[in-house]
Amino acid sequence: MLKQANGTCEGCGHAAPFLGVDGTPFLEVHHVRPLAQMGSDRVENAAALCPNCHRRCHLAADGKAFTQSLYIRVKRLKEEHFDVTP
Ligand SMILES: [Zn+2]
Ligand SMILES: [Zn+2]
C-alpha cells in the first residue's frame, strides 16, 4: 500500500537496507498517529520507514519529536485530530 515510497525511507531518506523475501525493498509501515489512539489505516496516517527510523519513532528519547517531524517531511501525511478520552 505504501509503494509510493519507492523503496526509500520517509524518515531518513535512505534506501531500504535490504530486500524482503518478496524481493521488494524492506520498509515498515508506521502509523503516525497510533491506531490505538484512533489513528486511521489510511496512507495519510502511514509512513514507510526503515527499521532504524521505525524503532526511533517508538523507542528513542526523541521519538515523539521525530514522529512529529514526519508530518513536515512527508507532504502526504495529514495530522489526525480526535478527542481521545484516556
Ligand atoms: Zn530511515
Ligand atoms: Zn510504528
Side-chain angles (χ1 to χ4, degrees), residues 8-17 27 48-54 56 66:
T8 303
C9 171
E10 294 181 311
C12 62
H14 292 161
L27 293 170
L49 300 176
C50 70
N52 277 352
C53 286
H54 195 196
R56 185 173 174 182
F66 181 68

Side-chain angles (χ1 to χ4, degrees), residues 29-31 54 57-58:
V29 174
H30 173 64
H31 293 99
H54 195 196
C57 285
H58 287 276

Side-chain angles (χ1 to χ4, degrees), residues 6 16 19 22 27-28 34 41 43 46 53-54 73 84 86:
N6 282 328
L19 300 180
D22 60 354
L27 293 170
E28 298 180 335
D41 201 16
V43 291
C53 286
H54 195 196
R73 192 175 289 114
V84 179

Side-chain angles (χ1 to χ4, degrees), residues 2-74:
L2 272 180
K3 294 306 174 199
Q4 67 262 55
N6 282 328
T8 303
C9 171
E10 294 181 311
C12 62
H14 292 161
F18 51 83
L19 300 180
V21 284
D22 60 354
T24 61
F26 185 87
L27 293 170
E28 298 180 335
V29 174
H30 173 64
H31 293 99
V32 191
R33 183 185 179 95
L35 299 182
Q37 289 171 33
M38 296 177 65
S40 77
D41 201 16
R42 296 178 304 181
V43 291
E44 290 86 1
N45 187 48
L49 300 176
C50 70
N52 277 352
C53 286
H54 195 196
R55 291 300 177 274
R56 185 173 174 182
C57 285
H58 287 276
L59 301 171
D62 69 345
K64 267 211 166 74
F66 181 68
T67 298
Q68 203 65 23
S69 76
L70 291 173
Y71 286 120
I72 299 159
R73 192 175 289 114
V74 187

